[in-house]
Structure formats: structure tokens, C-alpha cells
Amino acid sequence: MISELIVPVLWLGGMAIVFGAILGYASKVFAVEKDPKVPLILDVLPGANCGGCGFPGCEAFAVAVAAGSAKVDSCPVGGASTAEKIGEIMGVDAGGSERMIARVICQGTSSNCSNKFEYYGVRDCKEAVIAQGGHKSCNYGCLGFGTCERVCPFDAIHVTEDGIAKVDPDKCTACGKCIEACPKLVIDLVPASKGVHVDCNSKDKGKEVKSNCKVGCIGCKACVKNCPEETIGFEDNLAKIHYDKCTQCMVCVEKCPTNAITAEMIQTKQKVS
Ligand code: SF4
């Protein structure tokens, strides 16, 4: 009876030793060398795993940076300070990258922008846009049903009472999730340090803009002509500030006849004074 048990036990023991030796050998031969910089980079990353860097998570991003296939300043949550730390680990200059934030470039609130029709469908921008591009008279404006609000992992964007999405600059990490989700492409990334913006996304001609919205860019180019830094361009019937040279002198804000260019005084004061 005992001899009947001993033979299979010896067989199993022998097989375990052989397979163990094979696995041990294979793990040595086929081992993938882990870059020692990866855990160091992971340590300085915020660990949000938001995907804002374009990689599935912080670890994938760290591996890509260590391999030289991702830029050190690509983590939107960590911003400039994280970029600097990663730059030190990688031995490169992080380039003093500017913190960016999302901005809804539309002022088409319920009192500023008229409606084409009453919409009674699902209160989601992606659904609403299926019906003739949405209920707003302006085809380029914020629909205000909060698709962006629902995808923001940082609670940084909310639809205001007058029906337009607005970003909280302190909470926004520029992860870009709201930009991807907005079917109207009305959210853009802007430098956090700048307080002057063309808050209109309409590509329509001036007459049409005027009939749809009280605060749209009508393409008069008063800002373009008067900007002392010559930093405002004009494309698709729309003024566009090139932020690199903008000194926030406010001339464009004063000259804009429709108030389509806005100044956020809290940010602006810090910068201008
Ligand atoms: S507001 Fe947009 S960009 Fe900013 S954190 Fe939220 S989803 Fe990301």
C-alpha cells in the first residue's frame, strides 16, 4: 500500500524539481531588463492614472519617458514641477513649460444666445447635437447639457445656471477629457497665466453671428488692427490671440464692439501689475 503511494509522490517531486529548474533558467534567459529610471519617475508622478498624457496610466507613461518615447512635460496633472523632477531624472531640461487649462470659448448663455427650437430630448450634448446640430441658434456654441461635466475626473467643469459650461482654473489639470467629449469642439486649452481670451467659437459671417448671439465675434478685426503687439490673428471669421506675445494690455478688450474678448481680472491683475 505504502509503496503504491511512494512511486507517484517521487514522480511528482521529480517533475516539480525539473519544471522548477526549467522555469528558473527561462526567467534568467528571457528576463526583460527594467530601466531603473522607471520607478524613480513613477515616484514623482501624481498617480492619477487619468490618461491625460496619452498613455493608459502613470506606469506606461513612466516606461515611455524612460525609453525616450514620451516628453518629460507630458503629465498634465503634475504640471511644470513634475516635468522639472522628471527632467532631473532623465538629465534633460524640462523647458519651463507653461501650465495650461481648459477654457470654454463661448459666452452663449440663455440670455445671450437664442434658440432655434425647444429641445425635449436626452439632456446630453452628444445626443442633443444629433437634432440639427443642437437647439442653439449658433451652430458653434456650448449646448450646456454637461457632457464635459460628467467626464471631468477632477470636478473642474460645471454648467452654470444660465446654461453654459465653465472651467474652474484651480482644479483643471488640462487632461483634455472634456475637450474630447465636447461634440461642439468649443473647449480649448489656454495658458493658465493669461487672462484675455476671444470667447467665441463661431465661424459664421458677422451678420449671422449678430443675429444669433449678443457676444459673438463678428469679424470686424478691430482687435487685430489695434493690438500693439500684433499678436491677434484672424482665421475662419474669428479673431485668435497668439498668447506668446500677448502682454494683456487690454486694448483688444476695450476695442471689441461685442465684448467677445473677455478679461478675467483676477488672473489679469496678477500678470499686468
Ligand atoms: S476641465 Fe477638462 S481638461 Fe480640465 S481637468 Fe476637467 S476634463 Fe480635464
Side-chain angles (χ1 to χ4, degrees), residues 5-24:
L5 277 174
I6 286 174
V7 175
V9 167
L10 285 177
W11 264 107
L12 279 174
M15 279 166 70
I17 290 166
V18 172
F19 283 125
I22 293 172
L23 284 175

Side-chain angles (χ1 to χ4, degrees), residues 100-103 148-149 151-158 166-168 171-179 187 189:
M100 303 292 278
I101 48 168
R103 185 171 184 87
C148 53
E149 185 177 314
V151 299
C152 176
F154 303 97
D155 191 37
I157 187 164
H158 293 283
K166 204 163 168 50
V167 175
D168 177 343
K171 289 185 181 172
C172 178
T173 64
C175 72
K177 293 241 188 310
C178 56
I179 297 174
I187 312 178
L189 282 184

Side-chain angles (χ1 to χ4, degrees), residues 1-266:
M1 178 73 181
I2 289 178
S3 64
E4 277 174 12
L5 277 174
I6 286 174
V7 175
V9 167
L10 285 177
W11 264 107
L12 279 174
M15 279 166 70
I17 290 166
V18 172
F19 283 125
I22 293 172
L23 284 175
Y25 176 74
S27 71
K28 286 240 153 50
V29 173
F30 300 111
V32 178
E33 286 275 310
K34 206 171 183 185
D35 193 318
K37 289 197 274 316
V38 172
L40 297 178
I41 296 168
L42 255 178
D43 259 4
V44 299
L45 286 173
N49 283 311
C50 66
C53 54
F55 292 87
C58 296
E59 177 145 19
F61 173 61
V63 171
V65 173
S69 53
K71 284 168 48 189
V72 296
D73 61 353
S74 301
C75 170
V77 181
S81 64
T82 299
E84 240 168 66
K85 288 177 198 155
I86 301 175
E88 275 169 27
I89 296 166
M90 293 299 293
V92 297
D93 182 11
S97 53
E98 161 108 69
R99 183 182 164 233
M100 303 292 278
I101 48 168
R103 185 171 184 87
V104 180
I105 48 170
C106 174
Q107 301 183 78
T109 58
S110 43
S111 48
N112 285 336
C113 182
S114 53
N115 285 348
K116 284 190 276 207
F117 55 83
E118 281 305 316
Y119 174 74
Y120 297 103
V122 182
R123 300 187 72 76
D124 179 88
C125 307
K126 283 187 173 167
E127 297 291 335
V129 84
I130 296 167
Q132 295 180 43
H135 61 295
K136 290 265 178 86
S137 299
C138 173
N139 249 332
Y140 300 90
C142 171
L143 293 178
F145 290 133
T147 304
C148 53
E149 185 177 314
R150 288 186 285 280
V151 299
C152 176
F154 303 97
D155 191 37
I157 187 164
H158 293 283
V159 176
T160 59
E161 269 179 17
D162 49 6
I164 202 158
K166 204 163 168 50
V167 175
D168 177 343
D170 291 333
K171 289 185 181 172
C172 178
T173 64
C175 72
K177 293 241 188 310
C178 56
I179 297 174
E180 268 170 44
C182 175
K184 285 293 181 182
L185 310 175
V186 71
I187 312 178
D188 208 354
L189 282 184
V190 298
S193 65
K194 298 291 177 183
V196 177
H197 305 283
V198 179
D199 277 336
C200 177
N201 186 41
S202 174
K203 318 293 190 276
D204 285 335
K205 293 252 168 68
K207 204 172 156 208
E208 211 172 327
V209 173
K210 226 173 184 171
S211 67
N212 291 333
C213 182
K214 289 183 197 160
V215 281
C217 171
I218 53 172
C220 66
K221 296 192 188 165
C223 56
V224 180
K225 288 173 208 146
N226 286 287
C227 173
E229 305 296 334
E230 297 180 5
T231 190
I232 306 184
F234 194 77
E235 214 177 287
D236 294 331
N237 297 318
L238 203 51
K240 191 171 169 61
I241 298 176
H242 298 298
Y243 292 104
D244 50 341
K245 284 198 279 167
C246 172
T247 58
Q248 306 191 93
C249 67
M250 304 286 162
V251 171
C252 57
V253 181
E254 282 157 23
K255 295 288 177 187
C256 177
T258 61
N259 297 322
I261 307 183
T262 62
E264 297 215 352
M265 295 312 291
I266 303 164

